[in-house]
Structure formats: C-alpha cells, structure tokens
Amino acid sequence: MRFPFDERKAAQAAAYLLKRHHGRLNYMKLIKLLYLADRKALLDLGNPITGDRMVSMPKGPVLSGILDLINWGKRRSETSVWLQYVSEPIGYDVTLAAEGISIDELDLLSESERQILDEIDEEYGRVDKWSLVELTHRLPEWHDPRGSSLLIDPAEILREEGRSEEEIRRLAQNANRALFLHDLDSFEIEPE
C-alpha cells in the first residue's frame, strides 16, 4: 500500500508541531512525532497526513522522505518546499524557517489532521528523543533492519491493529487511486 507523498503538507505538519514547541525541536523527535501522527491518521482517517514512505531503521520507524529532507536540505539540486517552513538542522535541532508563519498559513492540514497532531504532541511531545526511540521499537510494525532500512507496509499496521482484510483492501484501492491522480497531476507534457 502506497500513498502520494505531499512535501508541502509534510512541511506544514512539521511547522505545526514546531509552533507547538516555540519554533524549535530536536529533528529526531520531530520525525518520531510525525511518524506517530501519520500512523494515527492511517488508523483513524484511513490515510496518513504526509503520505511519506514508512521505514524501519535502527532507531525505530521513520518517514523516509522527511528524513531525507532534513538530512539533505539545501544540498538537494531542486528547490525544496520543505525549506520554506523548516530550517536546515542547527546541530541536532530544526526551527521554523520563518518566525511569522501563522497557523492559517498551514492550510493543507484539515481540522482532523491538526487534532491528530495535537493529540500526538500532547501524549509524546514532552518525551525525550531516546524514550521515543524505545517506544517506537515496541510498535508491532518495526523490525530490526540490522543497520539498514526496511519498508513498512501500512497494511501491516492496519492488520496489527485488528482491521479486516476487506477494510485494508478498500484503503489500498483508495491509496492507489490517490497515487495515480497525484502522478497524473505531476506529469508534464512537453510542448512541441
């Protein structure tokens, strides 16, 4: 099961959490909070907030595209929407790219998604990064990648949480449609 990754929406979700933490967070903690929010949105809404690929890594599950955006930042060849909302790492922290970002500017996040981000932050926002690593190691979808990374199929999360195969099949079909439409929308026709 694969969802379309929306970099702008991912950046807005990160900015939303950063605003809740006075504009600054350890980037490992931010990645863990975003993973937990995507996981909860998958279970509650039928699709994750960011649509990013979930992977098991040695320090627990992460969202791979967001990890790349944080790690590569301005070194990427193309302009990154991410950097309009989230700074490059300063030490092990990231900050809001612009202090004046208002909640109203985070317009891609639905009310339900903001509520999920609030709930995840209320439950785990005060937990330190190493405790979040331990906590995410206990999630049933995490498997030790032995120094590498392993793809996490969202269907596995749904199965582990007791969802029926019929519901999983329906959600996979919806994800495939959304991915197809996203790919179609990003397809550019060269002028003759």
Side-chain angles (χ1 to χ4, degrees):
M1 183 181 306
R2 222 173 116 222
F3 296 90
F5 176 51
D6 187 330
E7 183 179 341
R8 183 172 301 277
K9 192 171 185 182
Q12 287 187 9
Y16 187 86
L17 288 171
L18 283 165
K19 284 193 78 60
R20 288 182 57 101
H21 289 267
H22 309 292
R24 183 181 207 90
L25 259 174
N26 172 276
Y27 67 77
M28 185 189 310
K29 185 172 183 171
L30 176 63
I31 292 169
K32 295 299 181 196
L33 293 174
L34 288 169
Y35 176 85
L36 291 167
D38 261 13
R39 185 182 196 278
K40 182 169 179 44
L42 173 68
L43 294 167
D44 291 0
L45 307 174
N47 57 290
I49 296 169
T50 71
D52 200 358
R53 284 182 24 172
M54 299 171 159
V55 296
S56 287
M57 294 191 74
K59 292 182 180 142
V62 300
L63 301 171
S64 68
I66 291 171
L67 178 61
D68 287 347
L69 289 167
I70 289 171
N71 284 336
W72 294 104
K74 289 183 182 172
R75 293 174 286 192
R76 295 174 59 185
S77 60
E78 73 275 6
T79 304
S80 174
V81 171
W82 178 264
L83 293 173
Q84 294 172 14
Y85 296 89
V86 182
S87 74
E88 287 190 278
I90 303 160
Y92 293 102
D93 291 351
V94 290
T95 62
L96 283 169
E99 287 183 31
I101 293 175
S102 74
I103 293 294
D104 293 336
E105 291 175 79
L106 309 178
D107 58 342
L108 295 180
L109 299 171
S110 71
E111 190 57 42
S112 299
E113 291 166 334
R114 289 176 191 217
Q115 185 176 348
I116 286 170
L117 288 164
D118 288 340
E119 289 172 16
I120 290 297
D121 192 52
E122 285 168 19
E123 188 168 351
Y124 303 108
R126 290 186 175 82
V127 177
D128 71 85
K129 66 182 177 183
W130 298 114
S131 297
L132 282 174
V133 168
E134 284 181 36
L135 178 128
T136 58
H137 276 168
R138 293 191 300 267
L139 293 172
E141 68 269 18
W142 182 79
H143 303 286
D144 187 351
R146 309 227 183 274
S148 185
S149 66
L150 297 170
L151 185 63
I152 296 171
D153 183 351
E156 181 180 356
I157 295 170
L158 294 164
R159 241 177 238 107
E160 290 288 344
E161 296 294 333
R163 303 303 163 87
S164 71
E165 288 303 315
E166 181 180 327
E167 181 181 4
I168 293 168
R169 203 170 17 264
R170 182 180 53 77
L171 292 174
Q173 288 172 341
N174 291 344
N176 287 336
R177 277 189 213 103
L179 189 59
F180 173 77
L181 292 173
H182 177 267
D183 290 347
L184 191 62
D185 189 44
S186 62
F187 180 73
E188 293 182 26
I189 298 175
E190 298 277 330
E192 292 184 27

